Amino acid sequence: MSNGIALVLGTRPEIIKLAPVIQACERRSVPHTLIHTGQHYSETLDSVFFDQLGLPDPDYNLGVGSADHGKQTGEMLIGVERILQECDPETVLVQGDTNSVLAGALAASKLDVRLGHVEAGLRSGDREMPEETNRTLADHAADRCFAPTEQSRDNLLAEGIPEERIEVTGNTVVDALERHKELARERTTALADLGLDEDDYAVMTLHRAENVDDPERFRALLFGASRAGDSHGLPVVYPIHPRARERIEEFDITVPEPIRLVEPREYLEFIRLEDAASIILTDSGGVQEEACILGTPCVTLRDNTERPETISAGANVLAGPDPATIIHRVEEMIDTDGDWENPFGDGTAGEQILQAVTRAPEEVPQ
Ligand code: UD1
Ligand code: UDP
């Protein structure tokens, strides 16, 4: 591959989930260029992950920052296009469903550069979520859709995406966890730092726009989580995303005990917290997957999920904002044994994706 691969990323989950692909490029000396859009820029959402995952600094950082969807996505599109024209890669890879993904996908497809979408085919069916629009458009622009599961492959087929464009690889989240899970157990003091005992606390993340940008819904979710924690005598540790922190201040919300707001954790610290928790409450996509892989029961604080595999496995249930439902769901899940199958693959997704991308042109389906 002459000019190799350009990987476009911009947010915390993309850094974590593209790390296994970047590391596979390094292992096999495949030329690659890292383009950071700058969608996430706070140290706690960005540079700590490059450091902890041992990733090289991005070759480019567009520094786009926060803005309304159109402005943010538009500036990223302009910036990524300029860089792709400069570095002329054979393939562009994007991962997931953020605005950075949409911008990277559009830039590649307009320049007619081969595009691969990592974590393709996820669908919540909720067209109000910006993530649903982003992932659907990226899938349809992509030349190669790397679906994590058979179910995501079926979603793509149902939308008319030809079979030859789809490859089921598992999810790179497994590769990252396999690589770091033991290290997190051995090396971090994540529990002691927060004064927590193993299997005696809940961990919560809430940051999705549909949950935290609506004051009544955000209040109800916090109330439900606090009552659920209380009824099991568990502190609820909430590493809070800056978006949610800002909304708490803006809406003047008093966070009820036993919820404890803490700064976002570094990756190893966070996966240790997930691993040792009695239960996880979340609206995050990646956290639903990690809970399922680590064997920690999960209650998803949303009305739908694009990770239905976690529900079929018995690892996850949905609860919307109704406090009584949250309490009930926590009750239902808290004593489950965690002995379910991981539906997200065997931890070789990064290698499989790289192999598919670097296959000789005559072997690549058109
Ligand atoms: C984005 C993704 C979401 C993903 C999440 C991962 C979109 C539409 N949303 O949401 O799917 O789950 O990333 O964490 O792409 N902010 C900071 N520092 C930062 C970044 C953001 O303080 O480094 C604050 C700003 O006030 C900003 C707000 O967070 O306005 C929202 O940031 P934005 O990038 O628009 O979306 P996220 O909520 O991070
Ligand atoms: N994560 C982390 N520290 C935290 C919260 C989350 O390292 O304090 C990691 C988590 O392990 C997972 C990823 O961030 O891999 C999920 O990202 P996020 O919830 O921001 O986005 P989503 O998956 O919802 O798009």
Side-chain angles (χ1 to χ4, degrees):
M1 296 196 100
S2 54
N3 292 328
I5 301 169
L7 300 106
V8 179
L9 46 72
T11 67
R12 171 169 70 185
E14 295 160 72
I15 301 166
I16 294 168
K17 288 178 170 176
L18 278 177
V21 184
I22 297 166
Q23 280 150 352
C25 288
E26 286 173 343
R27 272 195 301 279
R28 299 215 270 125
S29 304
V30 173
H32 56 286
T33 305
L34 282 194
I35 306 173
H36 195 316
T37 62
Q39 179 171 347
H40 283 178
Y41 46 85
S42 297
E43 196 191 347
T44 54
L45 295 185
D46 178 23
S47 58
V48 292
F49 294 95
F50 282 88
D51 292 345
Q52 212 173 38
L53 295 163
L55 297 174
D57 288 339
D59 299 285
Y60 300 87
N61 192 327
L62 297 171
V64 165
S66 308
D68 289 343
H69 287 271
K71 184 171 189 299
Q72 187 184 53
T73 312
E75 284 178 8
M76 294 193 287
L77 173 57
I78 294 168
V80 175
E81 179 180 69
R82 181 176 44 78
I83 294 166
L84 294 182
Q85 282 166 329
E86 199 176 304
C87 65
D88 192 24
E90 275 172 34
T91 299
V92 171
L93 286 180
V94 294
Q95 190 286 331
D97 55 19
T98 65
N99 287 347
S100 297
V101 171
L102 178 60
L106 285 177
S109 84
K110 299 253 172 215
L111 291 173
D112 207 16
V113 179
R114 187 173 290 279
L115 171 68
H117 185 204
V118 177
E119 203 178 74
L122 276 63
R123 295 291 181 270
S124 66
D126 181 351
R127 286 167 54 90
E128 284 184 23
M129 292 175 65
E131 291 85 0
E132 186 81 348
T133 311
N134 291 341
R135 61 172 86 94
T136 306
L137 295 177
D139 284 336
H140 285 262
D143 303 285
R144 305 290 292 143
C145 288
F146 299 111
T149 66
E150 291 295 335
Q151 199 158 347
S152 38
R153 174 177 178 275
D154 290 346
N155 291 338
L156 295 167
L157 291 173
E159 289 176 15
I161 293 185
E163 201 170 353
E164 316 81 76
R165 280 194 213 152
I166 309 169
E167 194 147 338
V168 178
T169 58
N171 195 310
T172 55
V173 76
V174 182
D175 312 25
L177 262 188
E178 299 265 304
R179 192 174 168 144
H180 296 97
K181 186 169 71 178
E182 289 312 319
L183 273 182
R185 283 187 190 143
E186 287 160 15
R187 299 224 188 129
T188 71
T189 51
L191 272 55
D193 293 348
L194 297 171
L196 300 169
D197 293 322
E198 183 139 6
D199 206 17
D200 202 20
Y201 64 92
V203 64
M204 176 164 83
T205 76
L206 272 179
H207 73 280
R208 291 298 180 106
E210 71 269 19
N211 277 339
V212 305
D213 289 1
D214 173 341
E216 288 326 306
R217 191 173 169 105
F218 195 9
R219 276 199 182 87
L221 288 164
L222 291 170
F223 181 68
S226 74
R227 293 303 93 217
D230 228 9
S231 62
H232 296 278
L234 300 175
V236 181
V237 180
Y238 178 10
I240 188 164
H241 187 289
R243 177 188 204 107
R245 166 87 70 187
E246 278 173 26
R247 297 299 173 264
I248 283 186
E249 281 156 24
E250 185 185 331
F251 304 146
D252 198 18
I253 293 175
T254 305
V255 177
E257 288 187 2
I259 296 176
R260 284 177 52 193
L261 297 192
V262 298
E263 285 302 301
R265 307 327 273 176
E266 297 181 7
Y267 180 61
L268 288 177
E269 282 66 21
F270 189 72
I271 60 176
R272 177 69 189 129
L273 279 184
E274 290 180 297
D275 196 20
S278 308
I279 193 154
I280 293 175
L281 305 173
T282 194
D283 61 3
S284 157
V287 175
Q288 289 175 65
E289 292 158 354
E290 288 167 349
C292 179
I293 299 160
L294 291 166
T296 306
C298 182
V299 175
T300 292
L301 300 175
R302 286 176 40 188
D303 302 313
N304 51 58
T305 179
E306 56 293 310
R307 273 91 175 168
E309 297 88 347
T310 58
I311 294 184
S312 312
N316 186 16
V317 290
L318 295 177
D322 173 43
T325 309
I326 297 172
I327 295 165
H328 181 66
R329 295 292 188 223
V330 168
E331 186 71 48
E332 211 175 291
M333 290 303 283
I334 197 148
D335 289 324
T336 47
D337 59 10
D339 194 20
W340 45 73
E341 298 259 313
N342 156 28
F344 296 113
D346 62 2
T348 61
E351 276 293 338
Q352 290 184 52
I353 290 163
L354 191 62
Q355 264 171 34
V357 166
T358 52
R359 223 169 267 153
E362 59 277 12
E363 296 172 54
V364 177
Q366 296 306 307

